[in-house]
Coordinates of all heavy atoms in Angstrom, one line a residue:
M263 N -24.4 -4.3 -5.1 CA -25.0 -3.4 -4.2 C -25.4 -4.1 -2.9 O -25.9 -5.2 -2.9 CB -26.3 -2.8 -4.8 CG -27.0 -1.8 -4.0 SD -28.6 -1.2 -4.7 CE -28.2 -0.8 -6.3
L264 N -25.1 -3.5 -1.8 CA -25.5 -4.0 -0.5 C -26.4 -3.0 0.2 O -26.2 -1.8 0.2 CB -24.3 -4.1 0.5 CG -23.3 -5.2 0.1 CD1 -22.1 -4.6 -0.5 CD2 -22.9 -5.9 1.4
I265 N -27.6 -3.5 0.7 CA -28.5 -2.6 1.4 C -28.7 -3.2 2.8 O -29.1 -4.4 2.9 CB -29.9 -2.5 0.6 CG1 -29.6 -2.0 -0.8 CG2 -30.8 -1.7 1.4 CD1 -30.8 -2.2 -1.7
T266 N -28.6 -2.4 3.8 CA -28.7 -2.9 5.2 C -29.1 -1.7 6.1 O -29.4 -0.6 5.6 CB -27.5 -3.6 5.7 OG1 -27.8 -4.3 6.9 CG2 -26.3 -2.6 5.9
S267 N -29.2 -2.0 7.4 CA -29.5 -1.0 8.4 C -28.5 -1.0 9.5 O -27.8 -2.1 9.7 CB -30.9 -1.3 8.9 OG -31.2 -0.4 10.0
D268 N -28.3 0.0 10.2 CA -27.4 0.0 11.3 C -27.9 -0.6 12.6 O -27.2 -0.9 13.5 CB -26.8 1.4 11.6 CG -27.9 2.4 12.0 OD1 -29.1 2.2 11.8 OD2 -27.5 3.4 12.6
H269 N -29.3 -0.7 12.7 CA -29.9 -1.3 13.9 C -31.4 -1.6 13.5 O -31.9 -1.1 12.6 CB -29.8 -0.4 15.1 CG -30.4 0.9 15.0 ND1 -31.8 1.1 15.0 CD2 -29.9 2.1 14.8 CE1 -32.1 2.4 14.8 NE2 -30.9 3.0 14.7
G270 N -31.9 -2.5 14.4 CA -33.4 -2.8 14.3 C -34.1 -1.9 15.2 O -33.6 -0.9 15.8
M271 N -35.4 -2.3 15.4 CA -36.2 -1.5 16.4 C -37.3 -2.4 16.9 O -37.9 -3.2 16.2 CB -36.8 -0.3 15.6 CG -37.6 0.7 16.5 SD -38.0 2.2 15.7 CE -36.4 2.9 15.4
N272 N -37.7 -2.2 18.2 CA -38.7 -3.0 18.7 C -40.1 -2.3 18.7 O -40.1 -1.2 18.1 CB -38.4 -3.5 20.2 CG -38.4 -2.3 21.2 OD1 -39.0 -1.3 20.9 ND2 -37.7 -2.5 22.3
N273 N -41.1 -2.9 19.2 CA -42.5 -2.3 19.1 C -42.6 -1.0 19.9 O -43.5 -0.2 19.6 CB -43.5 -3.3 19.6 CG -43.7 -4.4 18.6 OD1 -43.4 -4.3 17.4 ND2 -44.2 -5.5 19.0
D274 N -41.7 -0.8 20.9 CA -41.7 0.5 21.6 C -40.9 1.6 21.0 O -40.6 2.6 21.6 CB -41.2 0.2 23.1 CG -42.1 -0.7 23.9 OD1 -43.3 -0.7 23.6 OD2 -41.6 -1.4 24.7
L275 N -40.4 1.3 19.8 CA -39.5 2.2 19.0 C -38.2 2.4 19.7 O -37.5 3.4 19.5 CB -40.2 3.5 18.8 CG -41.6 3.5 18.0 CD1 -42.2 4.9 17.9 CD2 -41.4 2.8 16.7
S276 N -37.8 1.4 20.5 CA -36.4 1.4 21.1 C -35.5 0.7 20.2 O -35.8 -0.2 19.4 CB -36.4 0.8 22.5 OG -37.3 1.5 23.4
H277 N -34.2 1.1 20.2 CA -33.2 0.4 19.5 C -31.9 0.4 20.2 O -31.7 1.1 21.2 CB -33.0 1.0 18.1 CG -32.5 2.5 18.1 ND1 -33.3 3.5 18.4 CD2 -31.3 3.0 18.0 CE1 -32.6 4.6 18.4 NE2 -31.3 4.3 18.2
G278 N -31.0 -0.4 19.8 CA -29.7 -0.5 20.4 C -29.6 -1.4 21.7 O -28.7 -1.4 22.4
G279 N -30.7 -2.2 21.9 CA -30.8 -3.1 23.0 C -30.3 -4.5 22.7 O -29.5 -4.6 21.7
I280 N -30.7 -5.4 23.5 CA -30.3 -6.8 23.3 C -31.3 -7.7 22.7 O -31.1 -8.9 22.4 CB -29.8 -7.4 24.6 CG1 -30.9 -7.4 25.7 CG2 -28.5 -6.6 25.1 CD1 -30.6 -8.2 26.9
L281 N -32.5 -7.2 22.4 CA -33.6 -8.0 21.9 C -33.3 -8.3 20.4 O -32.7 -7.5 19.7 CB -34.9 -7.3 22.0 CG -35.4 -7.0 23.4 CD1 -36.7 -6.1 23.3 CD2 -35.7 -8.3 24.1
P282 N -33.7 -9.5 19.9 CA -33.4 -9.9 18.5 C -33.9 -8.8 17.5 O -33.2 -8.5 16.6 CB -34.1 -11.2 18.3 CG -34.2 -11.8 19.7 CD -34.3 -10.6 20.6
E283 N -35.1 -8.3 17.8 CA -35.6 -7.3 16.8 C -34.8 -6.0 16.8 O -34.9 -5.2 15.9 CB -37.1 -7.1 17.0 CG -37.5 -6.6 18.4 CD -37.8 -7.7 19.4 OE1 -37.4 -8.9 19.2 OE2 -38.6 -7.4 20.3
E284 N -34.0 -5.8 17.9 CA -33.2 -4.6 17.9 C -31.8 -4.9 17.3 O -31.1 -3.9 16.9 CB -33.0 -4.1 19.4 CG -34.3 -3.7 20.0 CD -34.2 -3.5 21.5 OE1 -33.4 -4.2 22.2 OE2 -34.9 -2.6 22.0
R285 N -31.4 -6.1 17.3 CA -30.0 -6.5 16.9 C -29.9 -7.0 15.5 O -28.9 -6.9 14.9 CB -29.5 -7.5 17.9 CG -29.5 -7.1 19.4 CD -28.4 -6.4 19.9 NE -27.2 -7.1 19.6 CZ -26.0 -6.8 20.1 NH1 -26.0 -5.8 21.0 NH2 -24.9 -7.3 19.7
E286 N -31.0 -7.7 15.1 CA -30.9 -8.4 13.8 C -31.5 -7.4 12.7 O -32.5 -6.8 12.9 CB -31.7 -9.7 13.8 CG -31.1 -10.7 14.7 CD -31.9 -12.0 14.8 OE1 -32.9 -12.1 14.0 OE2 -31.6 -12.8 15.6
V287 N -30.8 -7.2 11.6 CA -31.2 -6.3 10.6 C -31.1 -7.1 9.2 O -30.4 -8.0 9.0 CB -30.2 -5.1 10.5 CG1 -30.3 -4.3 11.8 CG2 -28.8 -5.5 10.2
P288 N -31.9 -6.6 8.3 CA -31.9 -7.2 6.9 C -30.6 -6.9 6.2 O -30.0 -5.8 6.4 CB -33.1 -6.7 6.3 CG -33.3 -5.3 6.9 CD -32.9 -5.5 8.3
L289 N -30.2 -7.7 5.3 CA -29.2 -7.5 4.3 C -29.6 -8.0 3.0 O -29.9 -9.1 2.8 CB -27.8 -8.1 4.8 CG -26.7 -8.0 3.7 CD1 -26.3 -6.6 3.6 CD2 -25.5 -8.9 4.2
F290 N -29.7 -7.0 2.0 CA -30.0 -7.4 0.7 C -28.8 -7.2 -0.2 O -28.1 -6.2 -0.1 CB -31.2 -6.5 0.1 CG -32.4 -6.6 1.0 CD1 -32.7 -5.7 1.9 CD2 -33.3 -7.6 0.7 CE1 -33.9 -5.8 2.7 CE2 -34.5 -7.7 1.5 CZ -34.8 -6.8 2.5
V291 N -28.5 -8.2 -1.0 CA -27.4 -8.0 -2.0 C -27.9 -8.2 -3.4 O -28.7 -9.0 -3.7 CB -26.2 -9.0 -1.6 CG1 -25.7 -8.7 -0.3 CG2 -26.7 -10.5 -1.7
I292 N -27.4 -7.4 -4.3 CA -27.8 -7.4 -5.7 C -26.5 -7.4 -6.5 O -25.6 -6.5 -6.3 CB -28.6 -6.1 -6.0 CG1 -29.9 -6.1 -5.1 CG2 -29.0 -6.1 -7.5 CD1 -30.6 -4.8 -5.1
G293 N -26.4 -8.3 -7.4 CA -25.3 -8.3 -8.3 C -24.6 -9.6 -8.5 O -24.8 -10.5 -7.7
G294 N -23.8 -9.7 -9.5 CA -23.1 -11.0 -9.8 C -21.9 -11.3 -8.9 O -21.3 -12.4 -9.0
R295 N -21.5 -10.4 -8.0 CA -20.4 -10.7 -7.1 C -20.8 -11.4 -5.9 O -19.9 -11.7 -5.0 CB -19.7 -9.4 -6.7 CG -19.2 -8.5 -7.9 CD -17.9 -8.9 -8.5 NE -16.8 -9.1 -7.6 CZ -15.9 -8.2 -7.2 NH1 -16.0 -7.0 -7.6 NH2 -14.9 -8.5 -6.4
F296 N -22.1 -11.8 -5.8 CA -22.6 -12.5 -4.6 C -23.1 -13.8 -5.0 O -23.6 -14.0 -6.1 CB -23.7 -11.7 -4.0 CG -23.3 -10.3 -3.6 CD1 -23.7 -9.2 -4.4 CD2 -22.6 -10.0 -2.4 CE1 -23.3 -7.9 -4.0 CE2 -22.2 -8.8 -2.1 CZ -22.6 -7.7 -2.9
T297 N -23.0 -14.8 -4.1 CA -23.4 -16.2 -4.3 C -24.9 -16.3 -4.3 O -25.5 -17.2 -4.8 CB -22.8 -17.1 -3.3 OG1 -23.3 -16.8 -2.0 CG2 -21.3 -17.2 -3.4
H298 N -25.6 -15.4 -3.6 CA -27.1 -15.4 -3.4 C -27.5 -16.6 -2.7 O -28.7 -17.0 -2.7 CB -27.8 -15.2 -4.7 CG -27.5 -13.9 -5.3 ND1 -28.0 -12.7 -4.9 CD2 -26.7 -13.5 -6.4 CE1 -27.5 -11.7 -5.6 NE2 -26.7 -12.2 -6.5
Q299 N -26.6 -17.3 -2.0 CA -27.1 -18.4 -1.1 C -27.4 -17.9 0.3 O -26.8 -16.9 0.7 CB -26.0 -19.5 -1.0 CG -24.7 -19.1 -0.3 CD -23.7 -20.2 -0.3 OE1 -23.8 -21.2 -1.0 NE2 -22.6 -20.0 0.4
E300 N -28.2 -18.6 1.0 CA -28.6 -18.1 2.3 C -27.5 -18.3 3.3 O -26.9 -19.4 3.4 CB -29.9 -18.8 2.8 CG -30.4 -18.2 4.0 CD -31.8 -18.8 4.4 OE1 -32.5 -19.2 3.5 OE2 -32.0 -19.0 5.6
C301 N -27.1 -17.3 4.0 CA -26.0 -17.4 5.0 C -26.2 -16.3 6.0 O -26.8 -15.3 5.7 CB -24.6 -17.4 4.3 SG -24.3 -15.9 3.4
R302 N -25.7 -16.6 7.2 CA -25.8 -15.6 8.3 C -24.5 -14.8 8.3 O -23.4 -15.3 8.2 CB -26.0 -16.3 9.6 CG -27.3 -17.0 9.7 CD -27.7 -17.4 11.1 NE -27.8 -16.4 12.1 CZ -28.9 -15.6 12.2 NH1 -29.9 -15.8 11.4 NH2 -29.0 -14.7 13.2
I303 N -24.7 -13.5 8.3 CA -23.6 -12.5 8.2 C -23.6 -11.6 9.5 O -24.7 -11.1 9.8 CB -23.7 -11.7 7.0 CG1 -23.7 -12.6 5.7 CG2 -22.6 -10.6 6.9 CD1 -24.2 -11.9 4.5
K304 N -22.5 -11.5 10.1 CA -22.4 -10.6 11.3 C -22.2 -9.2 10.7 O -21.6 -9.0 9.7 CB -21.2 -11.0 12.1 CG -21.3 -12.3 12.8 CD -20.1 -12.6 13.6 CE -20.2 -14.0 14.2 NZ -19.0 -14.3 15.0
Q305 N -22.9 -8.2 11.4 CA -22.7 -6.8 11.0 C -21.3 -6.4 11.0 O -20.9 -5.5 10.2 CB -23.6 -6.0 11.8 CG -24.0 -4.6 11.2 CD -25.1 -3.9 11.9 OE1 -25.3 -4.1 13.1 NE2 -25.7 -3.0 11.2
T306 N -20.5 -7.0 11.9 CA -19.1 -6.6 12.0 C -18.3 -7.1 10.8 O -17.1 -6.8 10.7 CB -18.5 -7.2 13.3 OG1 -18.7 -8.6 13.4 CG2 -19.1 -6.5 14.5
E307 N -18.9 -8.0 10.0 CA -18.2 -8.5 8.8 C -18.5 -7.7 7.5 O -17.9 -7.9 6.5 CB -18.6 -9.9 8.6 CG -18.1 -10.9 9.7 CD -18.6 -12.3 9.5 OE1 -19.6 -12.5 8.8 OE2 -18.1 -13.2 10.1
L308 N -19.4 -6.7 7.6 CA -19.7 -5.9 6.5 C -18.5 -5.2 5.9 O -18.3 -5.1 4.7 CB -20.8 -4.9 6.8 CG -22.2 -5.5 7.0 CD1 -23.2 -4.4 7.4 CD2 -22.7 -6.2 5.7
C309 N -17.7 -4.6 6.7 CA -16.5 -3.8 6.2 C -15.6 -4.8 5.5 O -15.1 -4.4 4.4 CB -15.8 -3.2 7.4 SG -14.3 -2.3 6.9
G310 N -15.3 -6.0 6.0 CA -14.5 -6.9 5.3 C -15.1 -7.4 4.0 O -14.3 -7.6 3.0
N311 N -16.4 -7.6 4.0 CA -17.0 -7.9 2.7 C -16.8 -6.9 1.6 O -16.5 -7.2 0.5 CB -18.5 -8.2 2.9 CG -18.7 -9.5 3.7 OD1 -18.1 -10.5 3.4 ND2 -19.7 -9.5 4.6
V312 N -17.0 -5.6 2.0 CA -16.8 -4.5 1.1 C -15.4 -4.4 0.6 O -15.1 -4.3 -0.6 CB -17.3 -3.2 1.7 CG1 -16.9 -2.0 0.8 CG2 -18.8 -3.2 1.9
C313 N -14.4 -4.6 1.6 CA -13.0 -4.6 1.2 C -12.7 -5.7 0.2 O -12.0 -5.5 -0.8 CB -12.1 -4.8 2.4 SG -12.1 -3.3 3.5
Q314 N -13.3 -6.9 0.4 CA -13.1 -8.0 -0.5 C -13.6 -7.7 -1.9 O -13.0 -7.9 -2.9 CB -13.8 -9.3 0.0 CG -13.1 -10.0 1.1 CD -11.8 -10.6 0.7 OE1 -10.7 -10.1 1.2 NE2 -11.8 -11.6 -0.1
L315 N -14.8 -7.1 -1.9 CA -15.4 -6.7 -3.2 C -14.6 -5.7 -4.0 O -14.6 -5.7 -5.2 CB -16.8 -6.2 -3.0 CG -17.9 -7.2 -2.5 CD1 -19.1 -6.5 -2.0 CD2 -18.2 -8.2 -3.7
L316 N -13.9 -4.8 -3.2 CA -13.1 -3.7 -3.8 C -11.7 -4.2 -4.0 O -10.8 -3.4 -4.5 CB -13.2 -2.5 -3.0 CG -14.5 -1.8 -2.9 CD1 -14.5 -0.7 -1.8 CD2 -15.0 -1.4 -4.2
N317 N -11.4 -5.5 -3.7 CA -10.0 -6.0 -3.9 C -9.0 -5.2 -3.1 O -7.9 -5.0 -3.5 CB -9.6 -6.1 -5.3 CG -10.4 -7.1 -6.1 OD1 -10.7 -8.2 -5.6 ND2 -10.9 -6.7 -7.3
L318 N -9.3 -4.8 -1.9 CA -8.4 -4.0 -1.0 C -7.7 -5.0 0.0 O -8.3 -5.9 0.4 CB -9.2 -3.0 -0.2 CG -10.0 -1.9 -1.0 CD1 -10.8 -1.0 -0.1 CD2 -9.0 -1.1 -1.8
D319 N -6.5 -4.7 0.3 CA -5.8 -5.4 1.3 C -6.4 -5.0 2.7 O -6.6 -3.9 2.9 CB -4.3 -5.1 1.3 CG -3.6 -5.7 0.1 OD1 -4.0 -6.7 -0.4 OD2 -2.6 -5.0 -0.3
H320 N -6.7 -6.0 3.5 CA -7.3 -5.8 4.8 C -7.1 -7.0 5.7 O -6.7 -8.1 5.2 CB -8.8 -5.4 4.6 CG -9.6 -6.6 4.2 ND1 -10.2 -7.5 5.0 CD2 -9.9 -7.1 2.9 CE1 -10.9 -8.4 4.4 NE2 -10.7 -8.2 3.1
T321 N -7.4 -6.8 7.0 CA -7.4 -7.9 7.9 C -8.7 -8.0 8.6 O -8.8 -8.6 9.7 CB -6.3 -7.6 9.0 OG1 -6.6 -6.3 9.6 CG2 -4.9 -7.6 8.4
K322 N -9.8 -7.5 8.0 CA -11.1 -7.5 8.6 C -11.7 -8.9 8.3 O -11.5 -9.5 7.3 CB -12.0 -6.4 7.9 CG -11.5 -5.0 8.0 CD -11.6 -4.5 9.4 CE -11.2 -3.1 9.5 NZ -11.2 -2.5 10.8
P323 N -12.6 -9.3 9.3 CA -13.3 -10.6 9.0 C -14.4 -10.3 7.9 O -14.9 -9.2 7.8 CB -14.0 -10.9 10.4 CG -14.1 -9.6 11.0 CD -12.9 -8.7 10.6
Y324 N -14.6 -11.4 7.1 CA -15.6 -11.3 6.1 C -16.3 -12.7 5.9 O -15.9 -13.6 6.5 CB -15.1 -10.8 4.8 CG -14.0 -11.7 4.1 CD1 -14.4 -12.6 3.1 CD2 -12.7 -11.7 4.5 CE1 -13.5 -13.5 2.6 CE2 -11.8 -12.5 3.9 CZ -12.2 -13.4 2.9 OH -11.3 -14.2 2.4
T325 N -17.4 -12.7 5.2 CA -18.2 -13.9 5.0 C -17.9 -14.5 3.6 O -18.5 -14.0 2.6 CB -19.7 -13.6 5.2 OG1 -19.9 -12.8 6.3 CG2 -20.5 -14.8 5.3
Q326 N -17.1 -15.5 3.5 CA -16.7 -16.1 2.3 C -17.9 -16.7 1.5 O -18.0 -16.6 0.3 CB -15.7 -17.2 2.5 CG -15.2 -17.9 1.2 CD -14.5 -16.9 0.3 OE1 -13.6 -16.1 0.7 NE2 -14.8 -16.9 -1.0
E327 N -18.9 -17.2 2.3 CA -20.1 -17.9 1.7 C -20.9 -16.8 0.9 O -21.7 -17.2 0.1 CB -21.0 -18.5 2.8 CG -20.3 -19.6 3.6 CD -19.4 -19.0 4.7 OE1 -19.7 -17.9 5.1 OE2 -18.5 -19.7 5.1
L328 N -20.8 -15.6 1.2 CA -21.6 -14.5 0.6 C -21.0 -14.1 -0.8 O -21.8 -13.8 -1.7 CB -21.7 -13.3 1.5 CG -22.3 -12.0 0.9 CD1 -23.8 -12.2 0.8 CD2 -22.0 -10.8 1.8
L329 N -19.7 -14.2 -0.9 CA -19.0 -13.6 -2.1 C -18.7 -14.7 -3.1 O -18.2 -15.7 -2.9 CB -17.7 -12.9 -1.6 CG -17.9 -11.9 -0.5 CD1 -16.6 -11.4 0.0 CD2 -18.8 -10.8 -0.9
A330 N -19.0 -14.3 -4.4 CA -18.7 -15.1 -5.5 C -17.4 -14.5 -6.2 O -17.5 -13.9 -7.2 CB -19.9 -15.2 -6.5
L331 N -16.3 -14.7 -5.5 CA -15.0 -14.1 -6.0 C -14.2 -15.2 -6.7 O -14.2 -16.3 -6.4 CB -14.3 -13.5 -4.9 CG -15.0 -12.4 -4.1 CD1 -14.2 -11.9 -2.9 CD2 -15.3 -11.2 -5.1

């Protein structure tokens, strides 16, 4: 299971900007298919990570350090 958000939000309730609190989002992973080691994951790699978990052929970037495959 992967749990994340599409964007963050700053104290003014703005989102989609360039501030870290608007750009950085949490990612929680649950299950034996993950290494559970701390690593930085780009939001643009989420699709590739899901494809890897589903054993789909793809050319998307993914985070090898996240996956226990």
Side-chain angles (χ1 to χ4, degrees):
M263 181 183 314
L264 291 103
I265 303 169
T266 191
S267 173
D268 63 339
H269 59 76
M271 187 170 293
N272 68 22
N273 290 337
D274 295 331
L275 303 179
S276 296
H277 64 278
I280 60 171
L281 298 173
E283 58 266 25
E284 297 169 329
R285 308 267 313 188
E286 295 177 7
V287 297
L289 173 65
F290 301 96
V291 295
I292 302 166
R295 303 279 308 270
F296 303 101
T297 61
H298 298 285
Q299 68 182 9
E300 189 172 327
C301 56
R302 293 194 60 83
I303 300 163
K304 295 179 181 178
Q305 201 167 24
T306 55
E307 296 173 341
L308 288 175
C309 180
N311 287 319
V312 171
C313 289
Q314 286 293 114
L315 290 167
L316 297 174
N317 295 317
L318 299 174
D319 289 331
H320 67 92
T321 59
K322 304 286 185 188
Y324 65 95
T325 311
Q326 182 64 47
E327 301 81 24
L328 174 70
L329 306 174
L331 300 174

